[in-house]
Amino acid sequence: MLLKIAWRNIWRNKKRSIIIITAVMTGLSAGVFLIAFYNGMIEQRVNTAIQSEISHLQVHHPDFTKDYDINFSLQNGAAILQQVQSNPAVKATTGRIIIKGMIASAAGSSGITINAVIPEQEEAVTHLPGKLISGDYFGAGNKNELLLSQKLLSKLKLKRTKKAILTFQDKDGNITSAAFRIIGIYKTLNTPYDETNVFVKIQDIDSLAGLDSQYNEIAILLHSNKMLKETQSAISLAFPGSTIQPWTEISPEIGLTVSVSEQMVLIFMGIILLALAFGIINTMMMAVLERTREIGMLLALGMDKAKIFRMILMETVLLVAAGCPGGLAIAFIAIAITKRTGISFKKFEEVYASFGYSDVIYPSLDSRQLGLIMLLVVFAAILSALFPALRALRLKPVASMRK
Amino acid sequence: MNNTVIDAHNLTRIYDENTIPVYALNSVHLHITKGEFTAIKGPSGSGKTTLLNMLGGLDEPTEGYVNINGTNITQLKGNKLIDFRLNNIGFVFQSYNLIPVLTAQENIEFIMLLQKRPKAEREQRVTELLKEVGLIEKAGKRPGELSGGQQQRVAVARALAPKPQFILADEPTANLDSVSAGNLLDIMAKLNREEKMTFIFSTHDQRVIDRARRVITLEDGKIVSDTTPAPLVHTNS
Ligand SMILES: Nc1ncnc2c1ncn2[C@@H]1O[C@H](COP(=O)(O)OP(=O)(O)OP(=O)(O)O)[C@@H](O)[C@H]1O
Ligand SMILES: [Mg+2]
């Protein structure tokens, strides 16, 4: 009968209850959907980063990351590359030479990172040709070809097919320069990266820097992120002299984004639920105060405080529970739809790209997060139910009835 | 002595002890025996509600004690007191008597549910009581759908439900028109006559006072008179 009373009490003030139920529904659906959206954004960012920038694993000379010196190349690069290629978990792999240098034109110069790549293998690992927005990818016979971004091109006031001068230190520490012809313009989702990276063929740099088919970076793309740890330890076991890093270390900001996103989801949902809880507490407090006399009467008749407490608790929990299924249903439907269609932000493409995000987001939600959300909802419901119920406990039969 | 239901000794209740003390009750001695039909009258603020609250264990006296059928309720605390009230005392208040979201029938059943009576007994007793107060056809109505007089009759039925030692009614007719008030008094008097139910009610209403068989007058927290007029023959006036 307590449940019956609690349920009917909810409908005494229909307007108020409907407002609360709607608020719970809206808050929950918006919260869950935004979390899914945020997940989608992170996933996209991570996938883009792995598939087109940093790959799953990278092998370097132990000192390479401290100082991008050309001499910190891998001792046995070719052997590593071969061994890695034969690993079944590996989808594609390539070697590179990365050097810091400068690009110059008549109009100016700019500090850059020169990525000297093996054209076919680079295509397999980072889909470099797919990033070209105009011009061509590296040809077979031509020497000294250069790919750069539109941003850098404009900065140097150059045009495609013109030449730019690349300057860098060779392996003996002498400054070397050479003219490279711009054959293509590339663009990634990461604008800051685009402004400071150019691509050339590895054999051109080899001959200029006096290197002999060496690499100072080997990038490895796996079939799945699940194989990350195993593959990493397999390779580092085989080549103890080199450092092998997973993407979470190579790009700590992306690794951090993922681990922070977990907490963000909690904090985000926590804030929404806290706001809801305050609204509910407020409303239920009002409901308790309005019913002071009635509760006083119940106390006088012989309904003990534990029952009064339970009744108010039930009312609040029922109110919250009434809003939950609707809210979740709305969120799930919205996620299901947008998961297929994606949410496009064509207008804000530039903004997203400057942070390295794609402008089409595919929301997603995993069951563990859903569990966490449900746990939070239950927690918030109990929290918001507790205060009004405790308030009711403080009422005294006679004093309440005099008011 | 065996017929004593209530024995109140030296009841004193002081409000605002720290500032200006108000003696809501001042050394009241009261003895109620089984089957009484007693009215407590007196001007507003004379202490009627305070006295009834003390007798019902809703408020603690500053001094003195209340003994009900041998139990000193002044010494009962918390859930023991609540339980005692539930099983021994029926209450009818002036207003806000019923749970608004329950029907007349459910309101009466509720109190027996608190007493953990079995379903069959509850249902039988509810029907019996609703018949007794003449509201069997209103069983499914909520308080909001009943008149003030009908609500008070449901309250009397509810007070009766747990078969209490006595029923306390604080100005039960205050919000009623004279016809409804008369009806309510008829029912109370009948229950008193036929079931020997003890009633103690406070009132301002002379017509209600006229129906009582014992009239206690309070003034400034003191009993100034306690009379037993000749038992009035029940008329349909
Ligand atoms: N909770 C309280 N706090 C302070 N004073 C109180 C309280 N309850 C009652 N009093 C005072 O005690 C006195 C007796 O009050 P009580 O309510 O018992 O009178 P009453 O005879 O029932 O009056 P009425 O006919 O108006 O109902 C009054 O002076 C009242 O102001
Ligand atoms: Mg009073």
Side-chain angles (χ1 to χ4, degrees), chain B:
Chain B
M1 264 315 256
N2 248 354
N3 273 340
T4 302
V5 181
I6 303 176
D7 179 28
H9 183 82
N10 192 30
L11 275 188
T12 302
R13 178 67 163 102
I14 309 172
Y15 285 112
D16 293 326
E17 279 175 88
N18 302 322
T19 52
I20 313 152
V22 175
Y23 278 79
L25 274 187
N26 199 343
S27 304
V28 167
H29 295 266
L30 186 62
H31 207 85
I32 305 273
T33 50
K34 191 164 170 50
E36 277 191 27
F37 200 64
T38 301
I40 297 173
K41 68 167 193 157
S44 187
S46 57
K48 302 184 294 292
T49 299
T50 307
L51 178 59
L52 288 182
N53 284 346
M54 300 285 139
L55 299 182
L58 295 178
D59 197 4
E60 277 178 51
T62 315
E63 256 175 62
Y65 63 82
V66 177
N67 210 311
I68 293 174
N69 256 358
T71 307
N72 184 341
I73 65 161
T74 311
Q75 279 171 356
L76 289 180
K77 292 274 176 301
N79 281 345
K80 282 218 174 92
L81 179 61
I82 288 176
D83 258 10
F84 187 88
R85 277 209 299 268
L86 183 63
N87 291 301
N88 297 281
I89 310 169
F91 291 94
V92 178
F93 306 108
Q94 182 179 328
S95 52
Y96 294 96
N97 248 309
L98 304 174
I99 303 170
V101 294
L102 296 183
T103 63
Q105 178 182 344
E106 287 166 340
N107 260 289
I108 300 169
E109 199 185 338
F110 179 69
I111 199 103
M112 287 189 280
L113 206 72
L114 290 179
Q115 285 186 308
K116 303 191 173 69
R117 297 287 171 86
K119 191 174 165 68
E121 183 192 336
R122 293 199 310 259
E123 280 173 358
Q124 188 212 325
R125 182 118 177 93
V126 168
T127 316
E128 186 184 303
L129 288 166
L130 278 170
K131 272 187 195 143
E132 225 156 344
V133 297
L135 287 174
I136 191 71
E137 76 282 9
K138 303 280 186 195
K141 296 266 190 258
R142 292 201 191 179
E145 299 166 300
L146 299 175
S147 73
Q150 288 168 338
Q151 287 180 37
Q152 290 305 73
R153 275 146 70 190
V154 176
V156 169
R158 184 195 53 194
L160 221 53
K163 303 193 170 147
Q165 306 280 341
F166 58 92
I167 291 177
L168 295 173
D170 192 8
E171 308 204 32
T173 60
N175 291 339
L176 303 184
D177 61 84
S178 58
V179 177
S180 306
N183 275 338
L184 189 69
L185 256 291
D186 287 345
I187 287 167
M188 285 164 60
K190 186 184 79 183
L191 290 166
N192 175 255
R193 219 172 35 244
E194 292 172 2
E195 298 184 17
K196 298 281 172 283
M197 180 50 67
T198 313
F199 278 90
I200 304 154
F201 47 92
S202 74
T203 186
H204 281 297
D205 189 337
Q206 191 54 47
R207 280 164 306 180
V208 177
I209 296 166
D210 288 344
R211 303 282 295 268
R213 282 190 279 129
R214 177 179 174 190
V215 179
I216 295 169
T217 312
L218 280 179
E219 247 168 60
D220 293 331
K222 285 189 166 148
I223 295 179
V224 292
S225 84
D226 186 346
T227 58
T228 41
L232 208 76
V233 178
H234 179 245
T235 60
N236 271 333
S237 63

Side-chain angles (χ1 to χ4, degrees), chain A residues 355-377:
Chain A
F355 292 104
Y357 288 91
S358 156
D359 61 316
V360 181
I361 309 277
Y362 297 89
S364 79
L365 194 70
D366 65 48
S367 56
R368 207 175 45 83
Q369 276 178 322
L370 188 67
L372 264 178
I373 293 172
M374 290 322 292
L375 215 70
L376 273 176
V377 168

Side-chain angles (χ1 to χ4, degrees), chain A residues 340-354:
Chain A
R340 285 196 302 135
T341 61
I343 304 172
S344 175
F345 291 91
K346 260 277 165 284
K347 270 191 188 156
F348 305 108
E349 195 182 340
E350 290 292 311
V351 183
Y352 275 80
S354 67

